Amino acid sequence: MILPAGTPETSLLRFLFLGLSTLAAFSLAQIELHVPPGLNKLEAVEGEAVVLPVWYTMTQEESSSHPWEVPLLLWFLEQEGKEPDQVLSYINGAMKNKPRVTLVHSISTRNVSLRLDALQEGDSGTYRCSVNVLDGDGANMGNRIKTIELKVLVPPAPPSCSLQGAPYVGTNVTLNCKSPRSKPTAQYQWERLAPNSQVFFGPALDAVRGSLKLTNLSTAMSGVYVCKAQNRVGFAQCNVTLEVMTGPKAAVVAGAVVGTFVGLVLIAGLVLLYQRRSKTLEELANDIKEDAVAPRTLPWTKGSDTISKNGTLSSVTSARALRPPKAAPPRPGAFTPTPSVSSQALSSPRLPRTDEPPPQAVSLTPGGVSSSALSRMGAVPVMVPAQSQAGSLV
């Protein structure tokens, strides 16, 4: 049945259709999160502030929010090797956030961008934004998640400069420069200030380590040297004054070096000489011990005066052996012989008188001829060389 236009029935049907269309549009509405193109990875400098831009929209409806929307918002920081850390939340109209973390806009604008103030190197990481919207009846209209990676850069901290070596004419020195903190790693540049300005490059300059080698110094190389540590977000510098010295100081240093070297050489020579002398004495002692022969007992009687204490023959005949035997007291009228010159010369001190018979003369001459007889015959006493214990003549 077709109703004519303008009747009350037509107006009622049109109202019902519009109402059903609106409800259908609400039921089909979905949430969408947005991040500007190219801003899903950000870099910021330590100490400054940064904004992580995120907002959401509802599909198939106008962009403005409505009173029936109940958004739920969560921001997390995710770092490698750590549990996710919640930095901000907005639930049931209440917001909780960590220091230096806030929302840029009111939540009613559907802009959920995050602001970080006074950045620190530890703020680097991946930030995850989660938005969930409920309608007035509590029905979930959708949940979306977006991530933004943040890298906090650190300008070089003020470096320290140092001089290594003795700055004298003809010597070599090294200038060192090092910054304690830098992200990314700092590069180093050395230059000499006016009046003799100069910029240094490799191989004398090590831009990574920050060292500058100066060889064969001269007085013209004296001056103020400046080191600049820099990366793409900042720089810092330090300086060192180089004064190349000449004259007595250089001579003293050179003399000290030469004297030290000579002293070390002398000490080494004395040590080697002492070791060699000790080794020679030890070898000589060993040779003497090997050549020594145990002494043998001489076949002479203790009472004989023919052998001295050192084993040598003292004379050809013993004075005791050449003494004539004592005679009994002469009888009256008996003839008393006069001792010969040889017997007087060979007489020895008188011994105490004993009742034992006198010792017999020891004959040391061939054929049993006594020494007194040999003297009367004109023989000359001859000393017989003694023999060593090994049988060799001494």
Side-chain angles (χ1 to χ4, degrees), residues 11-55:
S11 299
L12 179 61
L13 290 175
R14 186 177 296 175
F15 177 77
L16 292 174
F17 177 76
L18 292 174
L20 291 173
S21 299
T22 303
L23 292 175
F26 285 164
S27 62
L28 295 175
Q30 295 292 328
I31 186 173
E32 290 289 344
L33 276 182
H34 304 277
V35 174
L39 296 183
N40 57 343
K41 292 184 178 180
L42 298 177
E43 291 183 347
V45 180
E46 185 181 50
E48 299 181 358
V50 66
V51 174
L52 310 182
V54 179
W55 70 89

Tab-separated table of all heavy atoms in Angstrom, residues 11-55:
chain	number	residue	atom	x	y	z
A	11	SER	N	4.826	10.608	8.088
A	11	SER	CA	5.779	11.221	9.018
A	11	SER	C	6.227	10.235	10.077
A	11	SER	O	7.409	10.180	10.480
A	11	SER	CB	5.129	12.437	9.681
A	11	SER	OG	4.790	13.389	8.697
A	12	LEU	N	5.339	9.378	10.572
A	12	LEU	CA	5.708	8.399	11.602
A	12	LEU	C	6.691	7.372	11.058
A	12	LEU	O	7.687	7.022	11.703
A	12	LEU	CB	4.439	7.721	12.112
A	12	LEU	CG	4.632	6.635	13.176
A	12	LEU	CD1	5.285	7.228	14.422
A	12	LEU	CD2	3.272	5.986	13.527
A	13	LEU	N	6.418	6.906	9.834
A	13	LEU	CA	7.333	5.917	9.254
A	13	LEU	C	8.740	6.521	9.025
A	13	LEU	O	9.757	5.859	9.235
A	13	LEU	CB	6.760	5.418	7.927
A	13	LEU	CG	5.502	4.522	8.044
A	13	LEU	CD1	4.970	4.208	6.652
A	13	LEU	CD2	5.825	3.238	8.780
A	14	ARG	N	8.754	7.784	8.589
A	14	ARG	CA	10.051	8.422	8.371
A	14	ARG	C	10.833	8.544	9.679
A	14	ARG	O	12.048	8.333	9.722
A	14	ARG	CB	9.822	9.798	7.742
A	14	ARG	CG	11.097	10.503	7.326
A	14	ARG	CD	10.753	11.796	6.667
A	14	ARG	NE	10.016	11.529	5.429
A	14	ARG	CZ	9.496	12.478	4.679
A	14	ARG	NH1	9.582	13.742	5.047
A	14	ARG	NH2	8.833	12.181	3.551
A	15	PHE	N	10.202	8.842	10.785
A	15	PHE	CA	10.865	8.953	12.075
A	15	PHE	C	11.417	7.611	12.529
A	15	PHE	O	12.564	7.504	13.010
A	15	PHE	CB	9.868	9.510	13.096
A	15	PHE	CG	10.414	9.599	14.478
A	15	PHE	CD1	11.296	10.623	14.844
A	15	PHE	CD2	10.075	8.643	15.433
A	15	PHE	CE1	11.782	10.691	16.106
A	15	PHE	CE2	10.588	8.714	16.713
A	15	PHE	CZ	11.450	9.740	17.052
A	16	LEU	N	10.603	6.564	12.333
A	16	LEU	CA	11.080	5.233	12.732
A	16	LEU	C	12.292	4.806	11.899
A	16	LEU	O	13.262	4.216	12.403
A	16	LEU	CB	9.940	4.219	12.574
A	16	LEU	CG	8.755	4.394	13.556
A	16	LEU	CD1	7.642	3.409	13.191
A	16	LEU	CD2	9.207	4.172	14.985
A	17	PHE	N	12.284	5.130	10.627
A	17	PHE	CA	13.405	4.752	9.756
A	17	PHE	C	14.685	5.464	10.169
A	17	PHE	O	15.777	4.861	10.217
A	17	PHE	CB	13.052	5.087	8.311
A	17	PHE	CG	14.165	4.814	7.345
A	17	PHE	CD1	14.472	3.521	6.941
A	17	PHE	CD2	14.939	5.872	6.837
A	17	PHE	CE1	15.495	3.283	6.063
A	17	PHE	CE2	15.979	5.625	5.966
A	17	PHE	CZ	16.254	4.339	5.564
A	18	LEU	N	14.532	6.761	10.468
A	18	LEU	CA	15.731	7.495	10.878
A	18	LEU	C	16.279	6.973	12.195
A	18	LEU	O	17.495	6.869	12.394
A	18	LEU	CB	15.403	8.986	10.993
A	18	LEU	CG	15.090	9.699	9.667
A	18	LEU	CD1	14.626	11.135	9.953
A	18	LEU	CD2	16.291	9.689	8.753
A	19	GLY	N	15.404	6.637	13.117
A	19	GLY	CA	15.862	6.088	14.390
A	19	GLY	C	16.561	4.771	14.219
A	19	GLY	O	17.615	4.508	14.814
A	20	LEU	N	16.008	3.889	13.404
A	20	LEU	CA	16.668	2.589	13.172
A	20	LEU	C	18.012	2.773	12.467
A	20	LEU	O	18.977	2.061	12.731
A	20	LEU	CB	15.747	1.703	12.340
A	20	LEU	CG	14.455	1.221	13.059
A	20	LEU	CD1	13.551	0.483	12.066
A	20	LEU	CD2	14.809	0.339	14.242
A	21	SER	N	18.057	3.741	11.546
A	21	SER	CA	19.327	3.989	10.845
A	21	SER	C	20.407	4.462	11.820
A	21	SER	O	21.578	4.066	11.730
A	21	SER	CB	19.114	5.044	9.750
A	21	SER	OG	18.178	4.568	8.823
A	22	THR	N	20.015	5.324	12.787
A	22	THR	CA	20.990	5.807	13.770
A	22	THR	C	21.487	4.683	14.659
A	22	THR	O	22.693	4.559	14.935
A	22	THR	CB	20.358	6.907	14.622
A	22	THR	OG1	19.899	7.942	13.761
A	22	THR	CG2	21.350	7.455	15.631
A	23	LEU	N	20.596	3.825	15.127
A	23	LEU	CA	20.993	2.691	15.949
A	23	LEU	C	21.904	1.745	15.176
A	23	LEU	O	22.877	1.204	15.698
A	23	LEU	CB	19.761	1.946	16.450
A	23	LEU	CG	18.889	2.703	17.464
A	23	LEU	CD1	17.614	1.893	17.782
A	23	LEU	CD2	19.676	2.996	18.741
A	24	ALA	N	21.599	1.562	13.910
A	24	ALA	CA	22.448	0.687	13.080
A	24	ALA	C	23.842	1.287	12.938
A	24	ALA	O	24.867	0.593	12.983
A	24	ALA	CB	21.801	0.477	11.716
A	25	ALA	N	23.887	2.616	12.788
A	25	ALA	CA	25.201	3.272	12.670
A	25	ALA	C	25.996	3.139	13.955
A	25	ALA	O	27.209	2.906	13.943
A	25	ALA	CB	25.004	4.739	12.312
A	26	PHE	N	25.352	3.259	15.108
A	26	PHE	CA	26.040	3.073	16.391
A	26	PHE	C	26.565	1.656	16.526
A	26	PHE	O	27.669	1.422	17.005
A	26	PHE	CB	25.075	3.397	17.528
A	26	PHE	CG	24.830	4.872	17.697
A	26	PHE	CD1	23.734	5.330	18.443
A	26	PHE	CD2	25.671	5.806	17.130
A	26	PHE	CE1	23.510	6.680	18.605
A	26	PHE	CE2	25.441	7.173	17.273
A	26	PHE	CZ	24.347	7.615	18.012
A	27	SER	N	25.788	0.704	16.102
A	27	SER	CA	26.214	-0.692	16.250
A	27	SER	C	27.388	-1.015	15.333
A	27	SER	O	28.184	-1.900	15.620
A	27	SER	CB	25.038	-1.629	15.965
A	27	SER	OG	24.604	-1.456	14.619
A	28	LEU	N	27.499	-0.300	14.212
A	28	LEU	CA	28.603	-0.545	13.288
A	28	LEU	C	29.826	0.311	13.576
A	28	LEU	O	30.851	0.160	12.915
A	28	LEU	CB	28.136	-0.266	11.854
A	28	LEU	CG	27.033	-1.201	11.322
A	28	LEU	CD1	26.589	-0.738	9.949
A	28	LEU	CD2	27.503	-2.641	11.304
A	29	ALA	N	29.774	1.265	14.522
A	29	ALA	CA	30.900	2.139	14.829
A	29	ALA	C	32.064	1.338	15.397
A	29	ALA	O	31.869	0.468	16.253
A	29	ALA	CB	30.473	3.222	15.803
A	30	GLN	N	33.304	1.628	14.922
A	30	GLN	CA	34.520	0.969	15.363
A	30	GLN	C	35.586	2.029	15.647
A	30	GLN	O	35.610	3.090	15.036
A	30	GLN	CB	35.026	-0.003	14.301
A	30	GLN	CG	34.083	-1.179	14.040
A	30	GLN	CD	34.004	-2.117	15.228
A	30	GLN	OE1	34.975	-2.270	15.958
A	30	GLN	NE2	32.850	-2.748	15.422
A	31	ILE	N	36.514	1.730	16.604
A	31	ILE	CA	37.579	2.659	16.976
A	31	ILE	C	38.804	2.454	16.086
A	31	ILE	O	39.118	1.321	15.683
A	31	ILE	CB	37.957	2.474	18.467
A	31	ILE	CG1	38.971	3.541	18.884
A	31	ILE	CG2	38.514	1.082	18.731
A	31	ILE	CD1	39.258	3.535	20.362
A	32	GLU	N	39.464	3.526	15.771
A	32	GLU	CA	40.682	3.493	14.981
A	32	GLU	C	41.731	4.390	15.660
A	32	GLU	O	41.432	5.515	16.076
A	32	GLU	CB	40.436	3.998	13.558
A	32	GLU	CG	39.602	3.080	12.692
A	32	GLU	CD	40.334	1.817	12.287
A	32	GLU	OE1	41.583	1.798	12.423
A	32	GLU	OE2	39.676	0.865	11.861
A	33	LEU	N	42.973	3.880	15.791
A	33	LEU	CA	44.094	4.662	16.333
A	33	LEU	C	44.956	5.153	15.183
A	33	LEU	O	45.180	4.432	14.194
A	33	LEU	CB	44.942	3.810	17.287
A	33	LEU	CG	44.453	3.710	18.736
A	33	LEU	CD1	45.427	2.865	19.538
A	33	LEU	CD2	44.298	5.071	19.365
A	34	HIS	N	45.504	6.354	15.357
A	34	HIS	CA	46.288	6.960	14.281
A	34	HIS	C	47.608	7.499	14.833
A	34	HIS	O	47.668	8.072	15.920
A	34	HIS	CB	45.503	8.105	13.637
A	34	HIS	CG	44.167	7.703	13.134
A	34	HIS	ND1	43.954	7.114	11.900
A	34	HIS	CD2	42.921	7.800	13.705
A	34	HIS	CE1	42.689	6.870	11.722
A	34	HIS	NE2	42.034	7.284	12.807
A	35	VAL	N	48.675	7.302	14.033
A	35	VAL	CA	49.997	7.876	14.296
A	35	VAL	C	50.453	8.534	12.996
A	35	VAL	O	50.344	7.926	11.926
A	35	VAL	CB	51.015	6.806	14.740
A	35	VAL	CG1	52.412	7.405	14.865
A	35	VAL	CG2	50.602	6.187	16.054
A	36	PRO	N	50.936	9.784	13.053
A	36	PRO	CA	51.359	10.454	11.820
A	36	PRO	C	52.408	9.632	11.084
A	36	PRO	O	53.281	9.003	11.693
A	36	PRO	CB	51.933	11.788	12.313
A	36	PRO	CG	51.268	12.023	13.614
A	36	PRO	CD	51.074	10.668	14.225
A	37	PRO	N	52.345	9.601	9.760
A	37	PRO	CA	53.321	8.844	8.977
A	37	PRO	C	54.754	9.304	9.260
A	37	PRO	O	55.057	10.496	9.312
A	37	PRO	CB	52.923	9.153	7.526
A	37	PRO	CG	51.493	9.562	7.601
A	37	PRO	CD	51.334	10.261	8.907
A	38	GLY	N	55.649	8.331	9.450
A	38	GLY	CA	57.058	8.624	9.689
A	38	GLY	C	57.393	8.993	11.119
A	38	GLY	O	58.572	9.243	11.421
A	39	LEU	N	56.377	9.025	12.009
A	39	LEU	CA	56.644	9.394	13.406
A	39	LEU	C	56.505	8.196	14.348
A	39	LEU	O	56.362	8.375	15.553
A	39	LEU	CB	55.697	10.511	13.848
A	39	LEU	CG	55.851	11.844	13.121
A	39	LEU	CD1	54.903	12.881	13.698
A	39	LEU	CD2	57.287	12.345	13.207
A	40	ASN	N	56.551	7.001	13.808
A	40	ASN	CA	56.515	5.820	14.688
A	40	ASN	C	57.900	5.505	15.278
A	40	ASN	O	58.026	4.641	16.139
A	40	ASN	CB	55.987	4.609	13.940
A	40	ASN	CG	56.800	4.304	12.688
A	40	ASN	OD1	57.552	5.153	12.200
A	40	ASN	ND2	56.646	3.102	12.171
A	41	LYS	N	58.937	6.240	14.800
A	41	LYS	CA	60.280	6.158	15.400
A	41	LYS	C	60.782	7.577	15.605
A	41	LYS	O	60.941	8.341	14.639
A	41	LYS	CB	61.249	5.378	14.506
A	41	LYS	CG	60.926	3.896	14.408
A	41	LYS	CD	61.992	3.162	13.593
A	41	LYS	CE	61.705	1.667	13.544
A	41	LYS	NZ	62.736	0.936	12.766
A	42	LEU	N	61.048	7.906	16.860
A	42	LEU	CA	61.441	9.269	17.200
A	42	LEU	C	62.805	9.286	17.881
A	42	LEU	O	63.186	8.308	18.544
A	42	LEU	CB	60.392	9.910	18.127
A	42	LEU	CG	58.975	10.057	17.562
A	42	LEU	CD1	58.058	10.635	18.642
A	42	LEU	CD2	58.973	10.948	16.328
A	43	GLU	N	63.510	10.386	17.728
A	43	GLU	CA	64.759	10.643	18.440
A	43	GLU	C	64.633	11.977	19.149
A	43	GLU	O	64.120	12.943	18.576
A	43	GLU	CB	65.958	10.656	17.493
A	43	GLU	CG	66.309	9.300	16.912
A	43	GLU	CD	67.547	9.347	16.029
A	43	GLU	OE1	67.967	10.482	15.681
A	43	GLU	OE2	68.092	8.278	15.690
A	44	ALA	N	65.132	12.035	20.381
A	44	ALA	CA	65.093	13.273	21.158
A	44	ALA	C	66.379	13.396	21.939
A	44	ALA	O	67.098	12.401	22.160
A	44	ALA	CB	63.888	13.280	22.090
A	45	VAL	N	66.683	14.607	22.358
A	45	VAL	CA	67.934	14.895	23.060
A	45	VAL	C	67.684	14.885	24.564
A	45	VAL	O	66.647	15.373	25.043
A	45	VAL	CB	68.497	16.254	22.621
A	45	VAL	CG1	69.802	16.555	23.352
A	45	VAL	CG2	68.712	16.275	21.114
A	46	GLU	N	68.645	14.309	25.284
A	46	GLU	CA	68.538	14.251	26.737
A	46	GLU	C	68.389	15.659	27.315
A	46	GLU	O	69.066	16.601	26.904
A	46	GLU	CB	69.778	13.569	27.327
A	46	GLU	CG	69.716	13.342	28.821
A	46	GLU	CD	70.978	12.690	29.357
A	46	GLU	OE1	72.068	13.201	29.032
A	46	GLU	OE2	70.878	11.681	30.069
A	47	GLY	N	67.438	15.782	28.270
A	47	GLY	CA	67.180	17.068	28.900
A	47	GLY	C	66.071	17.855	28.258
A	47	GLY	O	65.559	18.814	28.862
A	48	GLU	N	65.667	17.480	27.064
A	48	GLU	CA	64.589	18.187	26.384
A	48	GLU	C	63.267	17.425	26.565
A	48	GLU	O	63.189	16.449	27.303
A	48	GLU	CB	64.928	18.368	24.901
A	48	GLU	CG	66.194	19.199	24.673
A	48	GLU	CD	66.490	19.389	23.205
A	48	GLU	OE1	65.739	18.841	22.358
A	48	GLU	OE2	67.481	20.089	22.889
A	49	ALA	N	62.205	17.894	25.872
A	49	ALA	CA	60.882	17.268	25.947
A	49	ALA	C	60.510	16.700	24.579
A	49	ALA	O	61.032	17.139	23.540
A	49	ALA	CB	59.842	18.273	26.400
A	50	VAL	N	59.607	15.702	24.591
A	50	VAL	CA	59.175	15.076	23.349
A	50	VAL	C	57.699	14.706	23.490
A	50	VAL	O	57.211	14.417	24.592
A	50	VAL	CB	60.019	13.827	23.027
A	50	VAL	CG1	59.800	12.730	24.043
A	50	VAL	CG2	59.730	13.332	21.620
A	51	VAL	N	56.968	14.725	22.377
A	51	VAL	CA	55.555	14.348	22.328
A	51	VAL	C	55.402	13.127	21.432
A	51	VAL	O	55.896	13.119	20.288
A	51	VAL	CB	54.682	15.501	21.801
A	51	VAL	CG1	53.234	15.040	21.614
A	51	VAL	CG2	54.729	16.688	22.756
A	52	LEU	N	54.735	12.097	21.949
A	52	LEU	CA	54.425	10.901	21.176
A	52	LEU	C	52.999	11.056	20.649
A	52	LEU	O	52.033	10.874	21.400
A	52	LEU	CB	54.568	9.647	22.045
A	52	LEU	CG	55.867	9.519	22.843
A	52	LEU	CD1	55.887	8.200	23.619
A	52	LEU	CD2	57.085	9.628	21.937
A	53	PRO	N	52.800	11.397	19.373
A	53	PRO	CA	51.474	11.753	18.851
A	53	PRO	C	50.596	10.538	18.522
A	53	PRO	O	50.952	9.714	17.680
A	53	PRO	CB	51.803	12.551	17.591
A	53	PRO	CG	53.106	11.985	17.129
A	53	PRO	CD	53.859	11.549	18.351
A	54	VAL	N	49.437	10.441	19.189
A	54	VAL	CA	48.465	9.376	18.933
A	54	VAL	C	47.057	9.960	19.147
A	54	VAL	O	46.842	10.694	20.120
A	54	VAL	CB	48.692	8.161	19.855
A	54	VAL	CG1	47.647	7.082	19.571
A	54	VAL	CG2	50.097	7.594	19.693
A	55	TRP	N	46.109	9.612	18.299
A	55	TRP	CA	44.699	9.959	18.518
A	55	TRP	C	43.838	8.838	17.938
A	55	TRP	O	44.303	8.003	17.170
A	55	TRP	CB	44.374	11.316	17.878
A	55	TRP	CG	44.374	11.325	16.385
A	55	TRP	CD1	43.325	11.065	15.556
A	55	TRP	CD2	45.478	11.599	15.551
A	55	TRP	NE1	43.679	11.162	14.252
A	55	TRP	CE2	45.016	11.500	14.220
A	55	TRP	CE3	46.835	11.931	15.772
A	55	TRP	CZ2	45.845	11.708	13.118
A	55	TRP	CZ3	47.633	12.145	14.691
A	55	TRP	CH2	47.150	12.034	13.368
